[in-house]
């Protein structure tokens, strides 16, 4: 399935998307017994459903609440926010986009907000289409950006997004550090990989990456980003497929990964009519991800957007999924802190999403 609702170039899809462990389990506990998964009848084709595992052992220890905060990085920072909007810096451009959680008044003067290069107008819903207004001069569809040493293209899309979700910088920085210090090539699986920035960050750090997204346009954009940074020789597999189908097949094959990033949408449809409902199908997705984690796995990262839920809902699900695996589950929110016009003046924190992350220790 495709990414979160309203990502550019996508129909509203995602779900059993995005993308058994090997039998070399010496010294590991017996495989858990299966029990039926709870799913809506016919919501997903029967071929992609398998029972959830009954897991035993202690749940991982917990670290809550955890607030992972970014003040920006590279060519991005949040300048100001308020009145249901956010003012951002993306490389040379200042951009205004809708932000429902910015309930307060802007800190900066109206004149600062008026001197922007682009502003998204129209439907303010996450999945709603609209258009861009360019107060100064017409701008091209794309422009070059850089985050964490990776070059990629920003793009003015009809769904208000620009090709990167900068709150993920904290996860990408963590992943980059894990890959760099591993002393071996880690295998990274990026589900609902979108425009490939996370995949490029991981591969540039030395990982072998499998990037999965159901949108051909998103995969094409990711390849553009790879070419822009002259990273064509990096070990990245670009897979255009429904995420759930992919990971179920990887489970049957006995494939394993050291780090799994999964960034599913609230609702979506896959290329062959697969239906994804986050609250119904996330348990199975995490369950399969657990099965394809390697014995020396470094982490399983889940991010959830635009849902009416506490982070505790995905936190407790992650702890149950990882029962018997040891380690710790840390969960909370991703936030971006305002940084002013200079990118260095801390202001208010803008919450963007929920997350849960399992790490082995």
């Amino acid at each position: 399935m495709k990414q979160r609702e309203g990502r550019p170039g996508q129909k509203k899809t995602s779900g059993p998307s995005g993308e058994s462990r090997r039998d070399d389990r010496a010294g590991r506990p017996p495989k858990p017994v299966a029990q039926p998964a709870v799913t809506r009848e016919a919501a997903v084709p029967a071929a992609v459903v398998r029972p959830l595992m009954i897991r035993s052992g202690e749940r991982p220890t917990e670290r809550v609440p955890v607030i992972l905060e970014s003040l920006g990085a590279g060519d991005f920072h949040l300048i100001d926010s308020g009145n249901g909007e956010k003012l951002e810096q993306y490389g040379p451009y200042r951009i205004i986009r809708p932000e429902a959680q910015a309930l307060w008044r802007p800190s900066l003067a109206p004149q600062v907000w008026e001197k922007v290069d682009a502003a998204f107008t129209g439907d303010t819903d996450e999945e709603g289409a609209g258009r861009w207004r360019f107060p100064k001069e017409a701008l091209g569809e794309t422009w070059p950006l850089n985050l964490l040493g990776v070059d990629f293209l920003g793009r003015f899309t009809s769904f208000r997004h620009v090709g990167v979700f900068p709150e993920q910088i904290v996860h990408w920085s963590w992943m980059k550090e894990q890959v760099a210090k591993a002393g071996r090539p880690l295998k990274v699986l990026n589900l609902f990989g979108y425009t490939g920035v996370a995949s490029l960050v991981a591969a540039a750090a030395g990982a072998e990456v499998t990037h999965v997204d159901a949108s051909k346009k998103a995969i094409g954009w990711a390849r553009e980003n790879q070419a822009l940074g002259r990273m064509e020789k990096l070990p990245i597999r670009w897979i255009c497929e429904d995420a759930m189908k992919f990971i179920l097949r990887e489970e049957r094959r006995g494939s394993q990964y050291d780090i799994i990033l999964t960034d599913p949408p609230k609702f979506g449809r896959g290329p062959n009519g697969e239906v994804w409902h986050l609250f119904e199908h996330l348990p199975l997705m995490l369950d399969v991800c657990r099965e394809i984690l390697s014995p020396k796995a470094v982490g399983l990262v889940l991010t959830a957007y635009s849902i009416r839920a506490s982070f505790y809902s995905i936190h407790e699900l992650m702890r149950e999924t990882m029962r018997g695996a040891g380690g710790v589950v840390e969960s909370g929110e991703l936030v971006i802190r305002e940084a002013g016009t200079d990118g260095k003046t801390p202001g208010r924190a803008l919450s963007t999403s929920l997350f849960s992350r399992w790490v082995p220790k």
Side-chain angles (χ1 to χ4, degrees):
M1 298 266 142
K2 301 173 186 172
Q3 277 98 323
R4 97 189 46 142
E5 292 175 293
R7 280 184 170 172
Q10 298 181 345
K11 300 174 184 175
K12 287 188 238 173
T13 71
S14 129
S17 89
E19 313 222 30
S20 98
R21 299 192 182 182
R22 242 173 240 147
D23 288 331
D24 53 348
R25 294 189 173 92
R28 291 155 62 187
K31 186 166 182 142
V33 180
Q35 70 177 1
V38 179
T39 57
R40 178 178 300 172
E41 184 177 1
V44 184
V48 305
V49 175
R50 71 123 166 95
L52 292 174
M53 299 294 177
I54 297 177
R55 303 193 181 276
S56 60
E58 295 295 321
R59 295 191 300 166
T61 58
E62 61 182 334
R63 192 176 298 135
V64 290
V66 175
I67 306 299
L68 296 182
E69 175 184 311
S70 171
L71 191 65
D75 288 342
F76 166 81
H77 70 269
L78 175 64
I79 300 171
D80 194 15
S81 60
N83 292 341
E85 293 182 317
K86 55 188 174 182
L87 176 61
E88 303 166 291
Q89 189 80 43
Y90 283 98
Y93 299 146
R94 287 189 180 178
I95 295 171
I96 293 176
R97 295 192 292 162
E99 179 49 69
Q101 296 203 73
L103 303 176
W104 43 84
R105 293 180 180 180
S107 294
L108 300 179
Q111 297 92 310
V112 177
W113 284 73
E114 291 167 2
K115 295 178 181 179
V116 297
D117 299 285
F120 185 83
T121 62
D123 197 327
T124 58
D125 186 76
E126 177 76 12
E127 64 187 83
R131 65 187 182 84
W132 290 90
R133 176 174 61 87
F134 303 106
K136 296 179 180 179
E137 60 180 343
L139 299 177
E141 181 188 3
T142 65
W143 73 101
L145 290 170
N146 183 285
L147 284 180
L148 300 181
V150 167
D151 294 318
F152 63 99
L153 292 174
R155 179 174 268 119
F156 295 113
T157 75
S158 62
F159 290 94
R160 82 178 180 176
H161 301 302
V162 295
V164 64
F165 294 89
E167 61 272 17
Q168 295 279 349
I169 291 170
V170 288
H171 286 324
W172 301 342
S173 297
W174 168 84
M175 174 181 63
K176 182 178 180 180
E177 179 183 357
Q178 302 307 311
V179 172
K181 72 181 185 181
R184 61 186 175 94
L186 296 186
K187 294 184 65 177
V188 173
L189 174 60
N190 186 13
L191 295 176
F192 309 95
Y194 192 34
T195 60
V197 181
S199 297
L200 292 170
V201 168
E208 299 174 3
V209 182
T210 299
H211 172 108
V212 182
D213 197 288
S215 167
K216 290 182 180 179
K217 287 186 178 181
I219 293 290
W221 191 345
R223 287 183 175 277
E224 283 185 81
N225 289 337
Q226 184 181 28
L228 179 69
R230 299 180 179 179
M231 296 180 171
E232 292 92 340
K233 294 184 179 180
L234 291 180
I236 304 176
R237 290 194 299 157
W238 303 105
I239 309 292
C240 186
E241 188 176 358
D242 173 85
M244 185 70 89
K245 285 186 175 179
F246 179 83
I247 61 174
L248 283 164
R249 189 169 66 252
E250 290 292 87
E251 180 184 30
R252 292 192 296 270
R253 289 172 172 173
S255 299
Q256 296 181 327
Y257 297 90
D258 300 298
I259 297 176
I260 299 178
L261 305 179
T262 181
D263 183 18
K266 180 171 60 177
F267 172 81
R269 291 183 183 276
N272 297 311
E274 303 92 343
V275 177
W276 169 262
H277 292 282
L278 182 75
F279 288 104
E280 294 181 24
H281 301 130
L282 184 59
L284 177 58
M285 171 163 284
L286 284 184
D287 200 53
V288 179
C289 285
R290 159 85 187 262
E291 289 301 299
I292 60 176
L293 281 174
S294 74
K296 296 182 179 180
V298 174
L300 170 58
V301 181
L302 166 68
T303 309
Y305 294 81
S306 304
I307 63 171
R308 295 179 180 178
S310 162
F311 72 84
Y312 266 110
S313 60
I314 59 174
H315 173 73
E316 297 296 2
L317 173 61
M318 183 70 81
R319 291 187 75 203
E320 287 296 331
T321 300
M322 301 306 296
R323 185 184 283 275
V328 60
V329 171
E330 48 192 16
S331 309
E333 297 190 22
L334 301 183
V335 305
I336 296 178
R337 190 165 294 278
E338 296 168 345
T341 55
D342 61 0
K344 301 176 182 178
T345 306
R348 295 162 300 201
L350 180 64
S351 178
T352 62
S353 52
L354 312 178
F355 83 94
S356 186
R357 180 170 69 189
W358 172 85
V359 292
K361 59 181 179 179

